[in-house]
Amino acid sequence: YDIYSGKWYAGGQRIIADAPYERMPVFVKAGSIIPFGPALQYTSEKPADTITLNIYTGADASFNLYEDEGTNYNYEKGAFTVIPINYNEATKTLTVGDRKGSFNGMLSKRVFRINIITPGEAKNLDFDAKSDREVVYEGKKLLLKI
């Protein structure tokens, strides 16, 4: 956003977009995965379940969801997990891979809410809205046709 001209720029192009306080536009690159967790006041308030994944289609995307205890340095000793998440544009599939690692108090299963956002179709960022799809993940690979 150029504060002097009041114009938005995205991907090398100028975009004229209204941006009132109550409705700020967000531009996201095609081929992005953006995760959202529950609102927390501090890391150990409650387990970070449910995770919403906003998948911005139009290109392949990948993301590694990293988690640890959040309250100490045990991650330095290998106490953490990584869940690989990949979107394949050609096959329109989302893969939530096998969880690698472990730590005390980790969730053995969790819920992923999945939202699909396609190029040229605006979608409100509403954390209370119904998701496009919801799956239970138990640490093993999930292959989802979008």
Side-chain angles (χ1 to χ4, degrees), residues 125-144:
L125 185 58
D126 181 354
F127 298 111
D128 297 321
K130 186 177 184 316
S131 61
D132 295 332
R133 190 158 182 192
E134 186 171 297
V135 295
V136 175
Y137 174 77
E138 297 186 26
K140 298 296 179 193
K141 181 178 177 179
L142 291 177
L143 189 63
L144 308 167

Side-chain angles (χ1 to χ4, degrees), residues 33-34 50-57 85 87 93-96 111-117 123 129-137 142-146:
I33 299 173
I34 301 181
T50 296
I51 300 290
T52 299
L53 299 173
N54 281 359
I55 312 297
Y56 294 84
T57 66
I85 301 168
Y87 170 72
T93 55
L94 179 69
T95 303
V96 182
V111 174
F112 283 112
R113 289 187 181 142
I114 300 162
N115 292 316
I116 306 303
I117 299 96
K123 196 172 215 179
K130 186 177 184 316
S131 61
D132 295 332
R133 190 158 182 192
E134 186 171 297
V135 295
V136 175
Y137 174 77
L142 291 177
L143 189 63
L144 308 167
K145 191 77 170 156
I146 302 295

Side-chain angles (χ1 to χ4, degrees), residues 24-44:
M24 180 66 68
V26 176
F27 298 96
V28 179
K29 181 181 175 185
S32 296
I33 299 173
I34 301 181
F36 295 93
L40 300 173
Q41 298 299 314
Y42 49 93
T43 57
S44 60

Side-chain angles (χ1 to χ4, degrees), residues 66-69 73-81 100-103:
Y66 170 91
E67 294 181 291
D68 62 29
E69 291 171 88
Y73 293 96
N74 288 343
Y75 64 90
E76 292 177 344
K77 300 172 190 165
F80 63 87
T81 64
K100 296 171 183 72
S102 66
F103 61 89

